[in-house]
Structures are given as C-alpha cells and as structure tokens.
Amino acid sequence: MAIRKDANTLNPNERAEFVDAILALKAAGIYDRFVLRHANAIMNAIHRSPAFLPWHRRFIYDLELELQRVSGNPDLGIPYWNWPSGEADAAMWRNDFLGGNGDASGVVRTGPFQAGQWTVVNASGLPSGPLMRTFGQNGFPTLPTQTEIDQVMAITPYDSPPWNMSSSPSFRNQLEGWAGPNLHNRGHVWVGGSMLPMTSPNDPVFFMHHCMVDKIWHDWQARFPNQDYLPVVGGPFGQNLTDPMDSTPSGQIGSRPIDVLDSAALGITYDDGTTIPQPTIPLLVVDANPEQFSIGAPGETDIFQFQVAAFGSHTAFTTGSSDTFMTLFGPNNPAAQVAFDDDGGENLNAQITRNLSAGTYYLRIRLFSSNSTGNYAVGIRSNNNIPTPIPELTVDGASINAAISTANESDLYRLNITDDAIYTFQTYGTTDTFMTLHGPNSQIPVIASNDDGGVTLNARIRQQLTAGEYFLRIRHFSPIGTGFYSIHATRE
Amino acid sequence: MTHHKETFANCVIEVKDGTHLSINGKVIDYEYDKESNKWSSRYLPYTQYDSILEMAQAIAQHTVEFSSIKD
C-alpha cells in the first residue's frame, strides 16, 4: 500500500529513505531505464492526448514499485509536489531532499543530485552532463495556485474530440496545460533545465511533479464518479479505453488505460483523502426569464439542469454578445448527448430546439473560443407544449423531399413499424447524407448508422425491426454542409 | 526567412526554405499548429514557440542531445 504524502511534510527519515532509494536505482541502472522509457516514447502518444494521464499513472507506479523493492518498505509512496506550497524556498528543495535551483549556468550544485554525484542521460542512455534547473526563468515565474487547481477540478468531461491539445471542454487538456490556467506544463517549465525535454525524468522532481498531476486526477475521479475515461472507442490508436499504450511494458498490471483507472485497486493512497463534493448544478426553470452567467476564465464550462414535465418542444438558448457553444444531455443522464449548437440563435448565440420527453436535462455552455471570457444569459422555453410535428415516413409509400438548409441541421422522421421484417431506408440525391436509426419507441437509442451505403454519397440502412415506433435522423456528413435529398423506406 | 544559418549555444542551427530545420546537421522534426501559429517539437514536449528559430534555439539550449554544459 503506497502512501503518497505532500513532499513538504516528510520528516528527515522519510526524506532520506526516498533519496537513498532513488540513488540505489540510479546506481543499478534502473532509474535511467525510466528516463529512456519516457524519452523514446512517441511524444503525441503520451502527451497532448487522452492517454497522458493513464500513461504517467502507470509510469510513476512502476517506479514506485522499484523504490519499495530497494528500500524494503512496501508502504513507500512517491511524495507529491504540492505546487501552491512548493516554491523555491519550500522544504522539498533543501539539501537533504532534492537540492535547490541551479547556479548562474543552471547547474545544480546542492543536494544529493548535484553535479559530480548525479549525471543525466540522453535519449540513447549516454551520460550527458549535470542536472540543470532554472527556476522561474522560462516564461513562467510562478507555480499553479490552489485557485487554479480548483478551477481545473470543476471541468468535465474527461476529454473530448479531437483528442489533442485543442480539446475543449477537457479536464485532461486543462490539467496537462494546453488550455485553461496551465498546470502540468507550467511545472516542467518553471523548474526549467533538465525538466524541459523528453528526458525530463532525469530530474527526480519529475516523479513528484507527476504524482501531483496524478493526485489531481485521482481527486477528480472521486469527485465525478460518473465521468468516465474517454474515448472508449473512436479515438486514435493507443488512446482508447482498451488500447495498449505506447512504451508501456507488460508488468504486474496491464498497459491499457482501463488497467489503471482505479487508484485504490493499485494500492495507492494519498494523505489528503478528502473528496471534494460535486459542484451544485444550477437549476434553470422552464419559461422563466433568462439568467445571467459568465465564463470568467478561458476554457471554463458552465453546466445547468432543467426539468421537463411533459413531452413537448423546448428551446434552450443564450442571449448576449458572447459567442456561446451549447451541448444538451439527457433525459436523466448527464452523459447522453442529445444535440449541440454553435450559432443557431441570434448573432453568435447558441440555440437548440428539440421535442423532449419528461425528465431531467443537462445543458453545458462554453464559449466557442477556449481562449475567451464573457457574459451571457441562458434560458429554456417551452414552445407552448406543442411538439414540433415530426414528418411520418410511410413504408413502401412516397419518398419525402427535404433539405439540410443550414449548418449542423438534422431532420427527423417518424416510422410506424407494424410487422417484424427487414426494412431498408435510403436517401437519394447529390448531398452527402448521414443517417441514424433510433428506437423502438424512443428517439434516443441508436440502432444503426450509415454514411455512404447508398448510391454515391447517399446513406442506406437495412435492418431487421420488430413492431414499434422508430425514428430516422438525417444530417449532412459535414457539420457545415447543406443540400437537398429525398428519403424512402421499403420493406422486404 | 528562406535560408538562415546561425550558431547558438555552441550549436549550428540551419533553416532552409523557412521550413527544413537542422541542428548540428541533424534534421529536426517538428509540428506547426496553423490555428495557434505555434511551433513545437518532440524534443521539448511541454512548450510551444512563436517561430521555428525560437524553437530551434530552445532545443539547442535545453536538450541533452545538443546542450554543451558539462560538470
């Protein structure tokens, strides 16, 4: 059971035990193998992507097992660098622990890892000089504050397409540092020197830094138990839930993200075991006046909930001068996405109109640009409880001519299936359509989807169906595409 | 910057056609993010730079492959 403590709270014996174990691994050549494992990984496979957090969790876990082995202490945990109290004058930088900042040339000349006692290696494993540190000299003079950590701790979901450094909203991307207040990247850059390149594990503070990163992920997982790792499927290879991660050897545990999601199962305990309660989700009242809110920090996301009492057409909308982006989830499931919109409302405001069945819905609002801040008002209105009519598509009946007339538009059709049989649904025309089949008796579950199964770029679904009410949704393959099409349903 | 050559941190940095970067004769792969107009390299995974030359200077100065600092 590894007990991971704030590095600045270790007593002298604990500091000596950690340093001695690191030096023993270095002398045995084991420590440098960790440097090479990180240095020779594909950069974008372990950074700037969803696997960033599970990859480094597994990485520091493996070092921790080695530290426990050479120290003979099965409870030895890697201390975490608590950034808000870890500036240059903190206890962790003293001579009996990590040593301090580098000299005028950046060379570390204090502590157990000073020049002459500790040599860094390059990506080929060759000795390449002393450990270097240049605290606060590379563009980031300060470390992340607790307020900034709290800000990132409120971000959901775990990650989002395109699964890289542009992802937003994304807890992973904000914790890594490509959006929001910049936590992880800033720590590397603040230390500077040997912590800047892919060989950054040359500095033992790397592991304490990533222990802090891992603690924040651990705390976030405890705070949002329903927010799972993403992507499950559909992301780049090596990033999905059950893909093997790059540069991760077979070991005591597996090499996939799914193998490291549960810290407790790995025997990891943090000294600060308090779970921060989930933030209260503000309730929007249907047909009340829009309420004012603001995106006060770049990358921030606001979440609201509202109740739909009975089936009917509802519109979620924002007003104001900000360029808002809106995603609707539900019913009764904050992870089940219904729709999203960028500029469907007035000016640059987002707006979604849908027939909604009774239940609780969740509205996520952010600004289109993850670098912007701004005010907005948000409201929900019921459209006189008159459902927007859904055109009925008759099996073996006439085709319906329609069009995707604006970006992000999708058309919905209702089908009344009375017999168990195989049915074919197909679009015709020159528009690149995409079709999804939902049901039975609900617009939410997706039975099948298709892009180009029909003639040229038309969509086609052939499906065995039981009796019930089904729905077909047609959109353009491109989010910005428009064009005419016709749709036809047949039974075999 | 069609062709640029300079010595920085005891390393020879060469940029040909504004895009082909080498340091001490070694070709350096990098990524250019059109959206943010930033450059980055696998050598320095935690940072982005405003120009290819600024990135090359950082690689020369900070990576153990090219840095000339000795004990």
Side-chain angles (χ1 to χ4, degrees):
Chain A
M1 175 71 76
I3 302 168
R4 295 177 174 175
K5 302 176 181 176
D6 184 335
N8 291 312
T9 67
L10 299 194
N11 64 41
N13 288 338
E14 290 171 327
R15 293 198 289 266
E17 182 182 47
F18 178 77
V19 169
D20 289 347
I22 291 283
L23 293 173
L25 293 180
K26 180 78 168 176
I30 296 170
Y31 187 93
D32 289 344
R33 279 186 228 150
F34 280 86
V35 179
L36 298 185
R37 182 166 144 193
H38 187 275
N40 292 308
I42 298 168
M43 182 184 73
N44 288 345
I46 71 169
H47 304 104
R48 310 176 181 198
S49 54
F52 166 71
L53 291 174
W55 192 92
H56 285 86
R57 174 171 284 177
R58 171 67 197 279
F59 186 59
I60 67 173
Y61 173 80
D62 286 351
L63 183 91
E64 198 166 61
L65 292 180
E66 293 290 347
L67 293 171
Q68 292 167 357
R69 183 182 60 77
V70 294
S71 68
N73 178 5
D75 291 338
L76 195 160
I78 296 173
Y80 60 88
W81 175 17
N82 192 15
W83 306 315
S85 57
E87 299 274 356
D89 58 352
M92 59 183 276
W93 300 111
R94 291 179 191 159
N95 289 350
D96 67 345
F97 204 176
L98 291 179
N101 196 7
D103 64 11
S105 301
V107 178
V108 174
R109 298 197 184 279
T110 57
F113 310 113
Q114 64 181 270
Q117 298 179 28
W118 182 269
T119 300
V120 304
V121 295
N122 65 17
S124 302
L126 300 173
S128 300
L131 185 64
M132 310 284 288
R133 291 177 187 149
T134 56
F135 289 175
Q137 294 179 28
N138 295 284
F140 286 108
T142 59
L143 289 167
T145 65
Q146 190 60 51
T147 301
E148 291 170 326
I149 294 170
D150 292 345
Q151 179 185 327
V152 174
M153 277 289 293
I155 301 294
T156 59
Y158 173 83
D159 212 338
S160 59
W163 317 115
N164 58 25
M165 57 203 286
S166 300
S167 293
S168 179
S170 163
F171 166 75
R172 184 275 309 165
N173 204 28
Q174 290 228 5
L175 175 53
E176 187 174 1
W178 301 112
N182 190 350
L183 302 184
H184 155 265
N185 288 344
R186 197 194 322 181
H188 277 275
V189 176
W190 183 86
V191 174
S194 299
M195 276 282 277
L196 292 173
M198 278 290 274
T199 49
S200 50
N202 268 311
D203 191 331
V205 78
F206 171 97
F207 294 94
M208 295 159 64
H209 179 51
H210 271 278
C211 196
M212 179 64 176
V213 171
D214 194 68
K215 179 181 184 300
I216 292 172
W217 184 28
H218 167 90
D219 292 347
W220 183 88
Q221 289 179 297
R223 189 183 198 193
F224 299 105
N226 296 325
Q227 292 287 337
D228 297 326
Y229 177 89
L230 294 173
V232 176
V233 295
F237 182 73
Q239 304 298 322
N240 299 299
L241 182 64
T242 55
D243 289 349
M245 295 185 289
D246 181 57
S247 198
T248 302
S250 297
Q252 189 169 313
I253 54 174
S255 61
R256 307 165 301 173
I258 196 173
D259 297 318
V260 297
L261 297 184
D262 186 351
S263 291
L266 300 177
I268 295 167
T269 303
Y270 286 93
D271 58 354
D272 172 16
T274 309
T275 299
I276 308 168
Q278 287 193 35
T280 304
I281 301 176
L283 180 69
L284 300 174
V285 178
V286 174
D287 290 328
N289 288 330
E291 293 185 54
Q292 292 285 337
F293 293 91
S294 93
I295 300 295
E300 186 179 299
T301 301
D302 292 345
I303 298 176
F304 306 93
Q305 57 180 322
F306 63 94
Q307 304 285 338
V308 170
F311 178 77
S313 174
H314 292 74
T315 298
F317 61 96
T318 63
T319 62
S321 57
S322 298
D323 184 0
T324 53
F325 189 97
M326 172 187 293
T327 312
L328 177 65
F329 300 84
N332 307 320
N333 183 349
Q337 181 174 313
V338 176
F340 62 85
D341 182 68
D342 178 16
D343 294 334
E346 294 180 358
N347 300 319
L348 297 175
N349 280 282
Q351 179 169 301
I352 294 172
T353 298
R354 283 286 185 279
N355 288 330
L356 300 178
S357 53
T360 302
Y361 290 82
Y362 301 86
L363 198 60
R364 180 184 293 154
I365 295 178
R366 63 175 173 86
L367 298 188
F368 180 76
S369 166
S370 59
N371 298 318
S372 301
T373 60
N375 300 322
Y376 66 93
V378 59
I380 310 292
R381 68 170 173 263
S382 61
N383 300 317
N384 300 319
N385 285 328
I386 301 170
T388 304
I390 302 175
E392 179 154 356
L393 184 61
T394 306
V395 175
D396 292 327
S399 298
I400 295 178
N401 297 316
I404 303 296
S405 50
T406 63
N408 283 316
E409 180 181 305
S410 64
D411 294 343
L412 187 67
Y413 300 93
R414 194 177 75 82
L415 288 149
N416 185 28
I417 300 295
T418 55
D419 301 314
D420 294 4
I422 295 174
Y423 295 86
T424 300
F425 313 105
Q426 190 161 353
T427 61
Y428 298 90
T430 57
T431 301
D432 185 0
T433 51
F434 190 95
M435 174 189 298
T436 48
L437 176 63
H438 306 255
N441 306 318
S442 169
Q443 298 177 31
I444 304 299
V446 177
I447 300 170
S449 62
N450 182 261
D451 178 16
D452 294 332
V455 179
T456 59
L457 297 176
N458 282 283
R460 178 178 183 272
I461 291 176
R462 181 175 178 271
Q463 187 76 29
Q464 172 90 40
L465 297 177
T466 57
E469 187 180 43
Y470 292 83
F471 298 88
L472 272 176
R473 187 173 291 282
I474 309 296
R475 65 172 172 83
H476 198 287
F477 178 76
S478 164
I480 60 171
T482 59
F484 294 95
Y485 68 93
S486 64
I487 183 166
H488 189 61
T490 55
R491 176 190 153 170
E492 292 184 12
Chain B
M1 186 171 63
T2 54
H3 189 184
H4 177 84
K5 190 173 185 178
E6 71 173 34
T7 299
F8 183 87
N10 296 322
C11 292
V12 177
I13 296 172
E14 192 164 10
V15 184
K16 291 179 181 172
D17 302 326
T19 57
H20 297 93
L21 172 64
S22 66
I23 300 177
N24 290 346
K26 181 177 174 59
V27 174
I28 305 296
D29 291 329
Y30 63 88
E31 295 176 10
Y32 171 63
D33 183 0
K34 198 184 295 183
E35 193 173 322
S36 62
N37 193 32
K38 301 270 189 187
W39 282 258
S40 65
S41 159
R42 75 172 310 280
Y43 284 97
L44 297 167
Y46 315 114
T47 43
Q48 292 181 293
Y49 298 89
D50 292 332
S51 72
I52 192 172
L53 185 58
E54 185 186 342
M55 178 187 70
Q57 291 171 342
I59 292 171
Q61 185 173 9
H62 297 302
T63 64
V64 289
E65 277 69 23
F66 299 106
S67 170
S68 56
I69 296 285
K70 299 298 176 195
D71 288 11

